[in-house]
Amino acid sequence: MRKMLLPLFCACLLQAACSPTLFQQIATLSSDSVTLNDDGSFSYEDAMITIEYDFWSESGKFVFTITNNTDDDIKLNLADSYFVNNGYAFDYYQARTYVTTSRKFSSTKLTSSTAAASESSNSVEYQEKPVVCIPAHATKVFEEFAVSSSVFRECGFVRDPSKKETSVREYSQYNSPLIIENRLSFLIGEITVPVTNVFYVSKYQNIACVNTIEYLRSETCNGSRRDVKVHKLSARNKFYITYEPWSASGAGSDR
């Protein structure tokens, strides 16, 4: 069922990234506090909030939603919240200024057979807030950083596996080469409530793009059925990096 929820999205990814000559490195993230549920969601939950993560993208865009489970508003102090990547902390609040522009088109009749069009625009400038409110029983989406844009390499870890080869490396939280943290600081009245979710890469897999494709039967709104191309390794606790064959880079072989 999980794979059926995102068929069009996955199909677009496949068409854009997976040519026969490319490979992908699939990274699997594990956590002691964030659970991969039966419905495919990857989430942390307590009486106050639910945080859902979705890493599935090129380089692992760090996207998460926060749902307020209480009857009162909850504030997230971005000025005291951080994304930590292998020990390096990055601020969520960066005092940025945003500008939004809206355009309006109008038409003026000149004669019975001609008209002229004009355009006007209106720009609004606003500052990033150091503290954001998540209303009672409402959800907000946050997206800021990427987990990694570099392919992981290790001696003996085959970079360009053939169809019959399995190129996998597995790790525990104690020897993982990549550990990330989401350190959040919530405000409930005058009380500060810290919540930290820690993730580690528990598996890397190198695989040819053509070997990640499968077809699933999907039913449309009118009841007809069709086969949809999807990524068979996709999951919300995984991300991928697409790369060219090692031999194509001129670096020789890593076998």
Side-chain angles (χ1 to χ4, degrees), residues 98-118:
Y98 298 94
V99 177
T100 60
T101 302
S102 60
R103 289 183 171 83
K104 181 180 180 181
F105 293 89
S106 60
S107 173
T108 302
K109 188 174 183 180
L110 301 178
T111 68
S112 59
S113 59
T114 61
S118 62

Side-chain angles (χ1 to χ4, degrees), residues 162-173:
S162 66
K163 187 174 183 179
K164 296 182 180 180
E165 288 182 301
T166 299
S167 182
V168 172
R169 285 288 186 272
E170 294 185 299
Y171 304 92
S172 70
Q173 59 182 316

Side-chain angles (χ1 to χ4, degrees), residues 16-252:
C18 278
S19 77
T21 60
L22 293 179
F23 289 79
Q24 283 186 340
Q25 182 168 92
I26 313 294
T28 301
L29 292 167
S30 298
S31 174
D32 288 339
S33 59
V34 182
T35 303
L36 185 63
N37 303 300
D38 292 338
D39 63 358
S41 62
F42 191 43
S43 62
Y44 163 88
E45 184 171 5
D46 60 27
M48 181 179 70
I49 58 169
T50 298
I51 308 176
E52 292 196 41
Y53 295 90
D54 189 354
F55 290 93
W56 184 250
S57 60
E58 183 82 41
S59 301
K61 291 181 181 178
F62 197 62
V63 181
F64 60 96
T65 64
I66 301 177
T67 299
N68 182 349
N69 297 330
T70 73
D71 297 328
D72 301 305
D73 293 347
I74 293 176
K75 294 180 179 179
L76 174 61
N77 185 1
L78 292 175
D80 193 30
S81 298
Y82 309 92
F83 170 69
V84 182
N85 193 325
N86 264 357
Y88 290 90
F90 300 87
D91 298 331
Y92 279 120
Y93 174 65
Q94 300 177 35
R96 290 165 290 195
T97 299
Y98 298 94
V99 177
T100 60
T101 302
S102 60
R103 289 183 171 83
K104 181 180 180 181
F105 293 89
S106 60
S107 173
T108 302
K109 188 174 183 180
L110 301 178
T111 68
S112 59
S113 59
T114 61
S118 62
E119 177 186 350
S120 61
S121 62
N122 181 40
S123 296
V124 178
E125 183 177 296
Y126 62 97
Q127 296 286 334
E128 180 180 20
K129 296 179 179 179
V131 177
V132 297
C133 179
I134 306 172
H137 302 290
T139 299
K140 282 195 173 181
V141 181
F142 299 86
E143 178 181 346
E144 190 65 48
F145 304 103
V147 178
S148 177
S149 59
S150 301
V151 175
F152 173 74
R153 294 297 167 217
E154 191 174 63
C155 291
F157 187 24
V158 178
R159 176 177 176 129
D160 307 339
S162 66
K163 187 174 183 179
K164 296 182 180 180
E165 288 182 301
T166 299
S167 182
V168 172
R169 285 288 186 272
E170 294 185 299
Y171 304 92
S172 70
Q173 59 182 316
Y174 303 106
N175 65 356
S176 175
L178 180 58
I179 298 176
I180 61 174
E181 300 176 49
N182 194 20
R183 298 184 187 178
L184 303 176
S185 180
F186 293 94
L187 299 172
I188 303 178
E190 300 298 323
I191 301 175
T192 298
V193 181
V195 173
T196 298
N197 293 149
V198 181
F199 308 86
Y200 64 93
V201 170
S202 56
K203 183 168 75 172
Y204 281 115
Q205 178 177 1
N206 295 336
I207 187 170
C209 276
V210 293
N211 295 333
T212 67
I213 298 171
E214 68 177 349
Y215 291 87
L216 295 180
R217 183 60 56 90
S218 175
E219 184 173 325
T220 63
C221 294
N222 62 12
S224 62
R225 294 176 176 272
R226 64 190 180 94
D227 289 334
V228 178
K229 184 191 296 185
V230 301
H231 197 299
K232 65 183 180 181
L233 298 179
S234 65
R236 288 182 174 86
N237 68 322
K238 298 179 182 180
F239 67 90
Y240 61 91
I241 298 174
T242 306
Y243 62 92
E244 294 183 346
W246 189 239
S247 56
S249 69

